[in-house]
Amino acid sequence: MGRWPEFLLFLCLIRVGELQEAVECCSNDVQANEDEQQELQDLELEAICPELSGQIIGGRPSSVARHPYQVSMVINGNSFCGGFIISRTHVMTAAHCVQNTSPGAIRLRVGSTRRDSGGRIVRVANVTVHPQYGRPEFDNDIAVLRLAQPLNFNAAVNAIRLPQPGDAVPLVRLTVTGWGLTAPRGRRIPRMMMEAQVPVVPHWLCRLSYGDALTNHMFCGGHFLIGGVSSCQGDSGGPAVFRGIAYGVVSFARGCALPLSPTVFTNIASLRDWVTQNAGV
């Protein structure tokens, strides 16, 4: 108990750092995207720099031209999850998106910024869920889908690289993409692809929130204390990317963009050997 005040002081210092980082985010975005100023001028501050807002989950409109690996998943006629292309023949997603689902019930839309039109619909031939998924809960939350026909790669359809086995997740901002809810209590998912910049939370710090539920096959992302930016329902199965490498799969969180409740991602590098065995990449 005697160290509790010191711990609170430490958390306060983290918060100051996060707030400074959020302000720098706005400044950097404005300077680095002069060619997008006309497009962004009608957006509110929260849309440009979501880390400063507690009312939205964060992010901004994106496109398949920026993220040609992104896939929208429809199961039994309903938009459900995301996924991402890892080869001409395989797509990766979260195990909880496809567990106990027959391949014939899944349709993937590739090559489109919209989740409900454009691009191409692709059928799935086989679903492979990690055999240890859910032991413990949400551990090994990863699956690969073998496509019925190989993809033809182009500017709007392409694979994302994966980390090497055992690679450490860099403590940077990862880009998360998808068509998930854009408000914590929202009821409608967007038609256009969104993206958000999610800072990686150190594993030891995230364990203060999730305890033993956070395994070595997971990592966390978000602003730990202030919240305000995260993935949400509908983003599950999508990628967390840095410099052209997908380090994580959107798995779960306690709510959406809440303080002390960052998003949890499946750590691809820790399960890389399984991916190679089942997808050949």
Side-chain angles (χ1 to χ4, degrees):
M1 293 294 292
R3 297 184 62 83
W4 183 244
E6 296 178 14
F7 178 67
L8 288 178
L9 175 60
F10 175 68
L11 289 182
C12 288
L13 291 175
I14 293 176
R15 180 166 188 174
V16 169
E18 286 184 336
L19 289 172
Q20 290 174 340
E21 184 183 60
V23 173
E24 291 171 359
C25 157
C26 284
S27 174
N28 291 340
D29 278 352
V30 171
Q31 294 175 8
N33 295 283
E34 292 181 357
D35 58 336
E36 299 178 4
Q37 290 306 304
Q38 185 65 36
E39 178 182 350
L40 295 176
Q41 66 180 0
D42 294 330
L43 298 180
E44 296 181 356
L45 174 62
E46 291 89 344
I48 299 174
C49 195
E51 291 85 343
L52 297 181
S53 172
Q55 299 178 347
I56 64 172
I57 291 180
R60 59 185 179 185
S62 190
S63 74
V64 72
R66 289 172 56 85
H67 309 287
Y69 46 82
Q70 179 70 44
V71 168
S72 174
M73 184 183 302
V74 176
I75 298 180
N76 294 320
N78 297 310
S79 296
F80 188 68
C81 278
F84 50 102
I85 301 167
I86 58 174
S87 74
R88 294 183 186 274
T89 56
H90 285 83
V91 163
M92 183 176 289
T93 188
H96 77 264
C97 289
V98 294
Q99 187 183 37
N100 301 321
T101 301
S102 67
I106 303 172
R107 296 293 183 272
L108 305 176
R109 187 182 300 278
V110 304
S112 179
T113 297
R114 297 176 65 96
R115 63 171 173 81
D116 55 358
S117 65
R120 174 189 169 196
I121 297 296
V122 178
R123 295 177 181 270
V124 174
N126 187 65
V127 175
T128 304
V129 172
H130 196 287
Q132 298 300 315
Y133 166 62
R135 296 181 241 171
E137 187 175 14
F138 283 111
D139 198 22
N140 303 294
D141 191 9
I142 194 170
V144 291
L145 313 178
R146 180 167 57 84
L147 308 180
Q149 297 291 333
L151 296 171
N152 294 317
F153 285 170
N154 53 49
V157 179
N158 215 325
I160 186 75
R161 290 182 294 145
L162 301 179
Q164 294 301 309
D167 278 358
V169 178
L171 295 177
V172 295
R173 289 171 181 261
L174 301 177
T175 300
V176 180
T177 47
W179 292 269
L181 295 176
T182 57
R185 295 179 180 85
R187 296 183 179 180
R188 299 181 62 184
I189 59 177
R191 291 181 174 177
M192 307 299 287
M193 184 190 301
M194 303 291 288
E195 70 173 78
Q197 302 298 312
V198 178
V200 174
V201 176
H203 203 270
W204 66 266
L205 182 59
C206 195
R207 282 183 65 89
L208 297 178
S209 181
Y210 290 107
D212 292 338
L214 192 74
T215 73
N216 290 331
H217 297 143
M218 306 172 183
F219 69 89
C220 299
H223 288 278
F224 187 74
L225 285 179
I226 63 178
V229 56
S230 82
S231 57
C232 198
Q233 283 83 8
D235 288 320
S236 290
V241 175
F242 178 66
R243 293 184 176 176
I245 297 176
Y247 284 93
V249 182
V250 177
S251 182
F252 72 96
R254 186 186 300 117
C256 297
L258 298 178
L260 305 179
S261 301
T263 298
V264 179
F265 300 88
T266 303
N267 187 336
I268 295 174
S270 71
L271 301 172
R272 189 67 169 82
D273 290 337
W274 179 87
V275 174
T276 299
Q277 294 167 8
N278 290 275
V281 294

